[in-house]
Amino acid sequence: MEKHYTDSKVKGVSTGTTILAAIFDGGVVIGSDSRASIGGEYVSSKTINKVIQVHDRIFCCMAGSLADAQAVIKSAKSHLSFHSVQMESPPLVIAAASVLKELCYKNKDELQAGFLTAGWDSKKGPQVYVVSLGGMLISQQVTIGGSGSTYIYGYVDAKYKPNMTREECLQFATNALALAMGRDNVSGGVAHLVVITEKGVEHVVVPGDKLPRFNDE
Amino acid sequence: MAAAASMMPIFGHQISSKNDLVLDWSREEVSTGTTIMAVEYDGGVVIGADSRTTTGAYIANRVTDKLTRIHDRIYCCRSGSAADTQAIAEVVSYQLGFHSVELDEPPLVETAANLFRASCYRYREELMAGILVAGWDRRKGGQVYCVPIGGMLVRQPVAVGGSGSTYVYGFMDSNYKPGLNKDQCLELTASALSLAMERDGSSGGVIRLASISEDGVERRVILGDQLPRFSTH
């Protein structure tokens, strides 16, 4: 019998994670789980933070090969801080997303990494961008990614509404991550969430035992 | 394994060895890449399915009925290979009908589920069938049994299956509570199927629903323009 497993060497399949980003009225929430695993058999880290700050009000979540993603983000961070110095103003969120996109597209044959970029800037307010595996860049109101995301497409489609309040959006993101972690064996641990608004940035960590529970039989 | 491999296009091994621009449906197997769902309530069960059958990228039937009658108060929801599931359902229908005559009373849902499991497990190397068996009997009321690919058997209060089911696990986990009544179950099933059909390319068409209880079987169809709608983004 052929084994039914996802072949992680195939381009387009992400390694274990659940990431999401959603815009609410006045800001954006970006979050992820905290598990890093080797082939779904060994959890190499229970508390890794997949939400990386690339500038004061711009954060990224990575999906795909962790090594590729870290390398790309490192390069993007330095591009972005140089760009910010040249422009003498904080970079736009789309600038950060574009930098990631350029790197992903130009090196698409070698890389296997995708990103969610979320942030706030004075020109367009809160924004979320998705840079997919091949280097496509699109803007969305809410987006999910990673292997655990397949289980919450229905939930996100049903529950996300534009112009939610900060608390509603935070609850929505926590619930979505908890549901994905409940079904995906390579997502888990704690929920890392970052709330970005004009006023600043707030980290929220929801430990495993405080995550909402849904019919856990 | 060459024979088995050619029966499994949906895992991507055999989607097309030619240029994608050349349409070649004759090499593809007919599959019910699908979304199916079954929910127990006090007094019966609600079952639902989408209506799309595909041969590769061509929709061979856009109004398929995947809710198949096995006995008066026992139905099954079929997913996987259309040919395999039709054949198994026919065999089980026959076996159950015979058994019911011998017993001189309506058969149990658990019996039907075990017959499915027996066929699916014995021929697990050759078959590609994921089946939900649901119905009502006098002994245990409404029951849902899940017989996924491989031939396992497990009873669950609510079960989803098919390629579209992965997208609605989160929705189902958060919205299902024990103790729902029939109308709530119908609404939950219709919403979940609609969400899955939005995201899964192999699911679509209309939603077929049925509710099975002591009083009988009630069937209904929700057409495309009446589907519950959720897209705001």
Side-chain angles (χ1 to χ4, degrees):
Chain A
M1 172 93 161
E2 290 188 22
K3 254 181 104 186
H4 305 292
Y5 57 85
T6 46
D7 186 353
S8 53
K9 293 190 196 67
V10 172
K11 256 202 163 143
V13 177
S14 42
T15 52
T17 197
T18 311
I19 52 180
L20 71 75
I23 296 180
F24 64 89
D25 185 20
V28 57
V29 169
I30 181 169
S32 78
D33 70 307
S34 71
R35 179 174 290 183
S37 59
I38 302 180
E41 283 172 359
Y42 172 66
V43 177
S44 46
S45 170
K46 295 188 275 186
T47 53
I48 187 173
N49 189 356
K50 302 176 195 177
V51 186
I52 311 287
Q53 184 162 23
V54 293
H55 209 266
D56 292 347
R57 297 265 190 295
I58 308 177
F59 281 72
C60 274
C61 263
M62 40 192 184
S65 154
L66 274 180
D68 285 348
Q70 283 178 346
V72 170
I73 285 191
K74 193 165 177 203
S75 172
K77 261 173 153 175
S78 89
H79 273 283
L80 215 50
S81 69
F82 184 68
H83 168 76
S84 170
V85 164
Q86 280 192 311
M87 302 293 285
E88 287 183 7
S89 73
L92 299 176
V93 187
I94 192 168
S98 294
V99 167
L100 289 168
K101 182 262 294 172
E102 278 303 298
L103 290 164
C104 288
Y105 182 71
K106 291 267 154 67
N107 301 297
K108 61 158 67 173
D109 295 330
E110 284 92 12
L111 290 175
Q112 205 171 331
F115 300 91
L116 300 187
T117 309
W120 185 95
D121 63 43
S122 52
K123 188 171 174 191
K124 280 191 176 170
Q127 299 144 75
V128 168
Y129 294 92
V130 185
V131 177
S132 68
L133 241 44
M136 172 184 80
L137 170 62
I138 54 171
S139 169
Q140 290 190 291
Q141 293 273 305
V142 59
T143 186
I144 51 180
S147 59
S149 68
T150 57
Y151 305 107
I152 50 174
Y153 271 105
Y155 180 79
V156 168
D157 283 344
K159 273 293 187 306
Y160 176 77
K161 308 268 177 291
N163 297 319
M164 287 191 281
T165 67
R166 182 186 171 282
E167 281 65 35
E168 282 171 346
C169 196
L170 214 43
Q171 187 62 53
F172 158 78
T174 312
N175 288 349
L177 286 173
L179 287 164
M181 293 197 265
R183 287 287 180 177
D184 184 26
N185 67 330
V186 288
S187 296
V190 308
H192 284 289
L193 296 157
V194 176
V195 184
I196 310 166
T197 59
E198 180 180 3
K199 297 195 191 62
V201 164
E202 191 196 330
H203 289 264
V204 177
V205 176
V206 186
D209 56 345
K210 300 277 189 305
L211 284 171
R213 311 193 66 180
F214 299 93
N215 291 322
D216 276 347
E217 292 142 69
Chain B
M1 274 309 209
S6 68
M7 275 173 56
M8 297 188 186
I10 66 171
F11 287 108
H13 299 300
Q14 298 266 4
I15 283 295
S16 182
S17 52
K18 289 189 193 167
N19 192 336
D20 276 338
L21 297 172
V22 176
L23 305 165
D24 192 2
W25 300 306
S26 57
R27 304 171 94 237
E28 297 297 328
E29 188 195 326
V30 175
S31 136
T32 47
T34 191
T35 315
I36 51 178
M37 183 162 165
V39 191
E40 284 175 14
Y41 66 91
D42 184 21
V45 292
V46 162
I47 56 175
D50 73 303
S51 71
R52 182 172 290 183
T53 306
T54 52
T55 334
Y58 175 64
I59 299 172
N61 186 352
R62 60 188 173 117
V63 286
T64 323
D65 185 6
K66 302 178 191 176
L67 307 177
T68 304
R69 179 191 174 281
I70 303 296
H71 205 267
D72 290 343
R73 301 270 188 289
I74 305 176
Y75 269 65
C76 76
C77 307
R78 302 180 289 114
S79 74
S81 153
D84 287 349
T85 55
Q86 282 178 354
I88 299 169
E90 262 176 41
V91 163
V92 171
S93 237
Y94 163 75
Q95 291 172 332
L96 201 64
F98 191 79
H99 169 73
S100 171
V101 165
E102 282 187 314
L103 237 52
D104 198 21
E105 65 179 41
L108 300 176
V109 187
E110 189 171 357
T111 310
N114 271 291
L115 286 170
F116 270 106
R117 193 254 314 138
S119 292
C120 290
Y121 181 70
R122 170 169 289 199
Y123 300 107
R124 65 192 183 283
E125 304 288 327
E126 286 93 352
L127 293 174
M128 175 109 93
I131 295 175
L132 300 181
V133 185
W136 181 92
D137 63 45
R138 239 172 38 146
R139 194 182 289 185
K140 289 187 184 172
Q143 300 145 73
V144 170
Y145 293 89
C146 194
V147 184
I149 293 175
M152 174 184 86
L153 172 61
V154 67
R155 181 181 171 187
Q156 291 178 282
V158 56
V160 288
S163 57
S165 67
T166 56
Y167 303 108
V168 291
Y169 273 113
F171 178 79
M172 211 189 63
D173 285 341
S174 62
N175 281 63
Y176 172 76
K177 295 158 208 5
L180 296 173
N181 66 30
K182 180 174 92 159
D183 290 319
Q184 289 170 320
C185 286
L186 284 164
E187 206 188 301
L188 176 69
T189 307
S191 299
L193 289 171
S194 179
L195 286 163
M197 283 154 66
E198 283 279 295
R199 286 290 181 177
D200 181 29
S202 313
S203 301
V206 304
I207 294 181
R208 295 199 186 273
L209 293 168
S211 69
I212 309 171
S213 64
E214 180 173 10
D215 302 325
V217 178
E218 258 178 63
R219 299 202 57 158
R220 63 197 82 178
V221 180
I222 303 182
L223 299 177
D225 57 344
Q226 294 149 8
L227 289 173
R229 255 187 245 160
F230 296 90
S231 306
T232 56
H233 51 274

